[in-house]
Amino acid sequence: IGDSAHAVTPSMGEGCNTAMESASKLADSILLIMKEKEIERCTSEVLSAAFCDYGLSRPKDTIPIQEKSAAASHMKKK
């Protein structure tokens, strides 16, 4: 889901947090798929599957943070 998941109001201090969590979640997805397939090398097939799993799972974690950021940003404009 890329940088769009990490676009939050800087004053919340969540941009770096979500980016680090995303990196960790992607690494977890890669390792899980390698374990499930019982392989020791990360191939393009593994990466593709891991990115799909990661892309489907991350929005549920990042959308609430984005919504809080949007609400905080909207409140500051008034």
Side-chain angles (χ1 to χ4, degrees), residues 17-69:
N17 293 343
T18 56
M20 295 298 286
E21 288 174 357
S22 290
S24 176
K25 297 287 185 177
L26 179 57
D28 289 346
S29 291
I30 292 168
L31 293 173
L32 180 63
I33 290 169
M34 289 174 62
K35 183 177 179 179
E36 288 173 351
K37 293 182 178 270
E38 297 179 353
I39 58 175
E40 294 181 13
R41 275 185 47 192
C42 182
T43 64
S44 59
E45 290 177 16
V46 169
L47 284 177
S48 180
F51 271 109
C52 286
D53 288 348
Y54 161 82
L56 292 171
S57 68
R58 268 317 264 163
K60 71 176 173 22
D61 297 325
T62 58
I63 288 173
I65 296 167
Q66 290 173 322
E67 288 172 343
K68 287 179 188 175
S69 175

Side-chain angles (χ1 to χ4, degrees), residues 1-8 66:
I1 56 179
D3 287 342
S4 62
H6 313 122
V8 295
Q66 290 173 322

